[in-house]
Amino acid sequence: MLQLICLFSCKKLIEVEPPVTQLETKQIFQNDQSAVAAVSGMYRQMLLTGSIITNGGITRFCGLSADELMNTTSPDADDEFRNNAIQVRNGSVSGSLWQMAYKNIYHANAVLEGLENAGITQSLKKQLQGEALVVRSLNYFYLIQLFGDVPLVLTTDYRLNQSISRTRISDIYVQLTTDLLRAKSLLVTTYPSAGRVRPNKFTAAALLARVYLYQKDWINAEKQASEIINSGVYVLPAELNNCFLSGSTETIWSLIQDRSNTSEGQLFIPAFSFLKPPFILTDTLFRSFEMNDLRKSKWLASTTINGLPVYYPLKYKKGADFSSTPPAPTEYYVVFRLAEQYLIRAEANVNLGNNAACQADINVIRQRAGLPVTMATSKNELLLAVEKERQLELFAEWGHRWLDLKRTDRANHVLSGIKTTNWQATDTLFPIPFDQIMLNSSLTQNAGY
């Protein structure tokens, strides 16, 4: 942890609009314009090359760990995830997943501290505080899913952070719930940006619905998801190929890189037609699609490797652009979208005994995919139906499949038969990076490593 925190001076803060400079806290938050620029730097930090979400960070490593993706080349890091044999010195775990997440958290903490006594417009102060709370919560959500108990860092004081021990997941969930409820109270329903590239009130509600779902708080998960669905702000596009466009009516929150396509598009789409895709769907995932599922025809592309057809994700249609002046992106990197909220509400309702409501939400997703209504009726059938729709609707997005198998205690059942001798129950958590344990003696290693 010390290595991470020391990347930033305890007096100096965060990058602002180009030309990039580092300013004293009081200078950064002395007026509305510089405060907004500081928060904009928070989003640029999230999109840096090699971060927890760029280069397919979450999607790539979780997809390989689950039953979604296979790598067609053999870098050691990718093999370790696919084989569920991650080494404690794995650079991707240490750099992309752990350190970059904590950099994002540090940046959000710096913003929150700077805003405490900022001399800016009160409404803007609330908006920026809400945004920083959402960003911090999102990064902590993924840290606890990947690593279990992790240090809960709520300050930029490196003297406190350098020796902090692991905090229980349950306590971090309490913090996330508190922060997201506060964010909801601070944010408004309108977006503070052109496009949905900065959080609004419903963004906080979307993450809060997921946090409640993961804690099996069915009542509150249903409540938050229904608030979004019933708001009328978001609509499922009838055309699946429109879901990830910059103007998608389904998007609750997205991120945008200047003059650059999404990291997911660059990850999955071959840079040139004669190259094989670096990641392809597993047979398990491909066979899960029903014959007439439009998600199979719209969101997958095929090619041939060694004379055999293979399929790769094509939710995002734009790959790498090597031109000297690439056009402005037409696809934004979608963080939260409406379909997930329907599936959260479906799962919450079946666990509340509202089977008909669960069926209705499943059918909203199935019918957009060109499929008939679900035949599931009992609780167990409906739970499996929700799991399948989440698998097919949210594949190759934000590690949903990996996290779903873990949170529903289905990982052993599903993956032990697929991963065979490579799988052991402790593989559901990634190792705490070796270099972080060396820097902070209060950190302990996860079981199995």
Side-chain angles (χ1 to χ4, degrees):
M1 186 66 66
L2 176 62
Q3 182 185 48
L4 168 60
I5 299 302
C6 285
L7 291 173
F8 301 87
S9 164
C10 62
K11 292 288 188 181
K12 306 283 184 177
L13 277 184
I14 46 185
E15 295 180 348
V16 297
E17 294 291 349
V20 176
T21 59
Q22 290 190 318
L23 304 174
E24 297 291 339
T25 307
K26 292 182 180 179
Q27 292 176 305
I28 289 178
F29 294 99
Q30 67 181 345
N31 58 57
D32 289 5
Q33 183 179 5
S34 60
V36 170
V39 172
S40 297
M42 181 173 63
Y43 299 119
R44 286 198 302 276
Q45 168 72 46
M46 292 175 66
L47 291 167
L48 288 176
T49 299
S51 80
I52 189 170
I53 62 174
T54 60
N55 303 110
I58 289 292
T59 298
R60 172 184 183 179
F61 299 125
C62 290
L64 290 167
S65 298
D67 56 353
E68 279 192 319
L69 299 175
M70 294 180 60
N71 52 312
T72 61
T73 56
S74 295
D76 291 341
D78 289 340
D79 284 342
E80 289 179 18
F81 287 95
R82 179 169 58 84
N83 295 327
N84 303 102
I86 305 172
Q87 302 301 305
V88 296
R89 297 178 186 270
N90 184 289
S92 296
V93 170
S94 177
S96 296
L97 301 181
W98 180 281
Q99 291 190 42
M100 292 302 290
Y102 273 108
K103 284 183 182 180
N104 296 337
I105 289 166
Y106 183 95
H107 205 134
N109 286 340
V111 168
L112 289 167
E113 290 176 4
L115 288 169
E116 280 298 319
N117 299 305
I120 62 175
T121 305
Q122 188 64 20
S123 59
L124 176 63
K125 179 179 179 179
K126 290 181 178 180
Q127 170 68 38
L128 299 182
Q129 286 174 325
E131 291 183 55
L133 288 168
V134 168
V135 168
R136 186 172 74 182
S137 297
L138 179 69
N139 281 273
Y140 265 121
F141 173 82
Y142 276 100
L143 279 171
I144 62 176
Q145 306 313 319
L146 300 181
F147 298 103
D149 299 345
V150 296
L152 181 59
V153 178
L154 302 176
T155 174
T156 60
D157 189 340
Y158 72 90
R159 292 166 297 183
L160 296 175
N161 298 335
Q162 63 183 341
S163 59
I164 192 168
S165 59
R166 299 174 70 175
T167 304
R168 291 180 302 179
I169 290 178
S170 58
D171 291 334
I172 296 179
Y173 270 133
V174 170
Q175 184 70 49
L176 296 186
T177 303
T178 300
D179 284 352
L180 290 169
L181 286 171
R182 184 183 175 213
K184 275 192 69 181
S185 72
L186 293 168
L187 298 166
V188 296
T189 57
T190 55
Y191 285 88
S193 54
R196 299 169 179 179
V197 297
R198 285 170 55 194
N200 70 343
K201 177 180 180 179
F202 293 122
T203 304
L207 182 51
L208 189 55
R210 192 190 294 179
V211 166
Y212 283 134
L213 181 80
Y214 276 56
Q215 296 178 89
K216 297 181 171 57
D217 184 343
W218 312 122
I219 292 176
N220 281 312
E222 191 279 337
K223 178 182 177 182
Q224 296 298 323
S226 289
E227 183 177 340
I228 296 167
I229 293 167
N230 298 336
S231 69
V233 176
Y234 309 99
V235 178
L236 294 176
E239 171 53 61
L240 287 168
N241 282 336
N242 293 339
C243 291
F244 300 93
L245 295 178
S246 57
S248 174
T249 57
E250 182 177 350
T251 296
I252 300 172
W253 181 35
S254 59
L255 297 169
I256 180 174
Q257 294 174 274
D258 293 338
R259 300 291 176 180
S260 176
N261 296 317
T262 66
S263 59
E264 244 60 347
Q266 296 177 47
L267 175 71
F268 292 123
I269 301 172
F272 300 99
S273 59
F274 57 84
L275 296 177
K276 61 185 177 182
F279 299 94
I280 59 176
L281 266 64
T282 62
D283 289 341
T284 300
L285 175 53
F286 182 73
R287 289 196 304 267
S288 296
F289 286 96
E290 296 173 43
M291 182 178 297
N292 297 318
D293 194 329
L294 293 175
R295 293 170 295 197
K296 181 167 66 171
S297 58
K298 303 279 189 175
W299 287 351
L300 297 180
S302 64
T303 187
T304 301
I305 297 179
N306 298 327
L308 298 174
V310 295
Y311 299 85
Y312 58 92
L314 197 66
K315 286 182 168 179
Y316 295 96
K317 315 298 181 184
K318 304 291 186 180
D321 191 320
F322 298 103
S323 61
S324 58
T325 55
T330 56
E331 296 176 330
Y332 291 175
Y333 188 34
V334 178
V335 184
F336 299 118
R337 59 188 181 95
L338 186 60
E340 182 193 357
Q341 298 304 311
Y342 275 105
L343 294 171
I344 286 175
R345 190 169 73 173
E347 186 173 341
N349 270 320
V350 70
N351 281 288
L352 291 170
N354 301 327
N355 288 11
C358 172
Q359 287 174 320
D361 283 341
I362 290 174
N363 290 334
V364 168
I365 302 302
R366 285 181 60 82
Q367 289 176 325
R368 182 175 70 162
L371 297 173
V373 298
T374 181
M375 300 301 292
T377 55
S378 70
K379 179 178 180 179
N380 286 339
E381 289 173 341
L382 286 167
L383 285 172
L384 289 175
V386 171
E387 179 183 303
K388 182 176 180 181
E389 291 307 315
R390 288 184 64 91
Q391 178 187 25
L392 301 179
E393 179 70 25
L394 303 174
F395 78 92
E397 283 184 64
W398 288 90
H400 281 290
R401 175 62 172 171
W402 176 241
L403 305 191
D404 283 346
L405 290 174
K406 283 152 43 77
R407 71 178 176 83
T408 59
D409 296 322
R410 294 262 296 155
N412 280 331
H413 175 79
V414 172
L415 298 179
S416 60
I418 297 171
K419 302 296 185 93
T420 61
T421 57
N422 291 327
W423 177 257
Q424 54 184 350
T426 51
D427 290 338
T428 54
L429 291 178
F430 294 168
I432 304 299
F434 176 81
D435 58 347
Q436 297 301 313
I437 292 178
M438 292 296 99
L439 289 166
N440 180 359
S441 59
S442 297
L443 292 180
T444 56
Q445 186 55 270
N446 282 327
Y449 296 98

